[in-house]
Amino acid sequence: MMKSSRSATFSTPVKIAVALILSILVILPIIRMFVGVRPSDFQTVFNSPLFGDALKNSVVLSLMATVISVLLAYALALCMVRTSIPGKRIFGVLLTLPMLIPSISHGIGLTTLFGNNGILTQIFGTPAIYGPVGIVAGSVMYAFPVAYIMLSDVLTYEDMSVYEAADVLGIGKARQFFRISLPYLKKPLI
C-alpha cells in the first residue's frame, strides 16, 4: 500500500521533535505558572475592588468591538458579494490585508496616527486613542478581516433562489433579512 503524500512529509522523529519543543516552550511554562498559585491568590484577585470594574470593562469593550466588527464585515461582505463593483479583487485583498500584519503593528499605527504626537492628532486636536476608544479600535482592526472572510464566504455560497422567491411574493427587504438572511447567518456568527 502506498502512503498518502501528507503523512509521508512528516516522519515520526519530526513529529516527536515538534511535540517536545511545544511542550518545553508552551505547556511547561503554563504548568509552572499555575503550580505556584495558591487558593488564597484567587481569593485575593476575586475580592479586589478593581476586579469587578476590570471584568465589566473587558466584557463591554469586547462586545462593542465584536458588534462593530461583525456589522462592518457584514456590510462590506454584502457589497463585495452582491454587487458588481469594479476592482473587487483589489478591495478583497485590502480588506483582508490587516490579518497578515502583526498585531503590534496595529497598535503602532494607531499610536502614530492618533497618539499624543500623532499625525491626525496634530491636525484635529485631542488624542482619543488612549483608553476605551483605542482598545475598541485596535480590537476591530484585529477581528474585522476574519469576520469579513467568514461572512463573505457564507454570502458567496448562499442560495439566492430563496430571495428571488421572496421578491416574487412581495416580501420586503427588512423581512427578508430577519426571516432568511439572519437564520442562515446564525451559525457562522456564533
Side-chain angles (χ1 to χ4, degrees):
M1 287 180 79
M2 198 167 168
K3 288 185 177 180
S4 69
S5 62
R6 180 172 276 182
S7 65
T9 56
F10 293 113
S11 64
T12 304
V14 172
K15 291 178 185 177
I16 292 171
V18 168
L20 186 64
I21 291 170
L22 181 68
S23 296
I24 291 171
L25 296 178
V26 177
I27 297 171
L28 288 177
I30 291 173
I31 291 171
R32 185 168 181 246
M33 179 180 68
F34 281 110
V35 165
V37 177
R38 298 178 305 251
S40 62
D41 295 334
F42 287 109
Q43 191 174 22
T44 303
V45 169
F46 293 134
N47 290 335
S48 168
L50 299 176
F51 179 74
D53 289 338
L55 183 64
K56 182 187 77 162
N57 290 339
S58 296
V59 170
V60 168
L61 294 178
S62 297
L63 285 174
M64 286 175 59
T66 301
V67 167
I68 292 169
S69 296
V70 168
L71 290 177
L72 189 61
Y74 180 73
L76 290 171
L78 202 60
C79 290
M80 295 294 287
V81 171
R82 302 256 174 97
T83 63
S84 57
I85 59 173
K88 274 187 177 184
R89 288 182 180 247
I90 294 170
F91 285 123
V93 169
L94 291 176
L95 292 173
T96 57
L97 192 61
M99 189 170 65
L100 304 175
I101 299 171
S103 56
I104 188 73
S105 299
H106 296 164
I108 292 170
L110 285 171
T111 305
T112 302
L113 290 175
F114 299 105
N116 285 336
N117 295 320
I119 297 166
L120 296 178
T121 302
Q122 291 178 1
I123 295 170
F124 297 113
T126 311
I129 202 66
Y130 302 110
V133 173
I135 293 170
V136 171
S139 298
V140 167
M141 285 178 62
Y142 184 76
F144 167 78
V146 176
Y148 170 76
I149 288 173
M150 288 175 57
L151 290 172
S152 64
D153 189 48
V154 168
L155 291 173
T156 299
Y157 297 108
E158 188 176 24
D159 183 15
M160 294 303 294
S161 63
V162 180
Y163 292 99
E164 292 169 6
D167 285 336
V168 168
L169 293 172
I171 297 173
K173 295 294 181 188
R175 192 164 175 206
Q176 285 181 26
F177 174 77
F178 287 107
R179 297 291 179 140
I180 301 170
S181 298
L182 206 54
Y184 188 73
L185 293 171
K186 186 170 52 174
K187 285 183 183 177
L189 287 176
I190 289 172

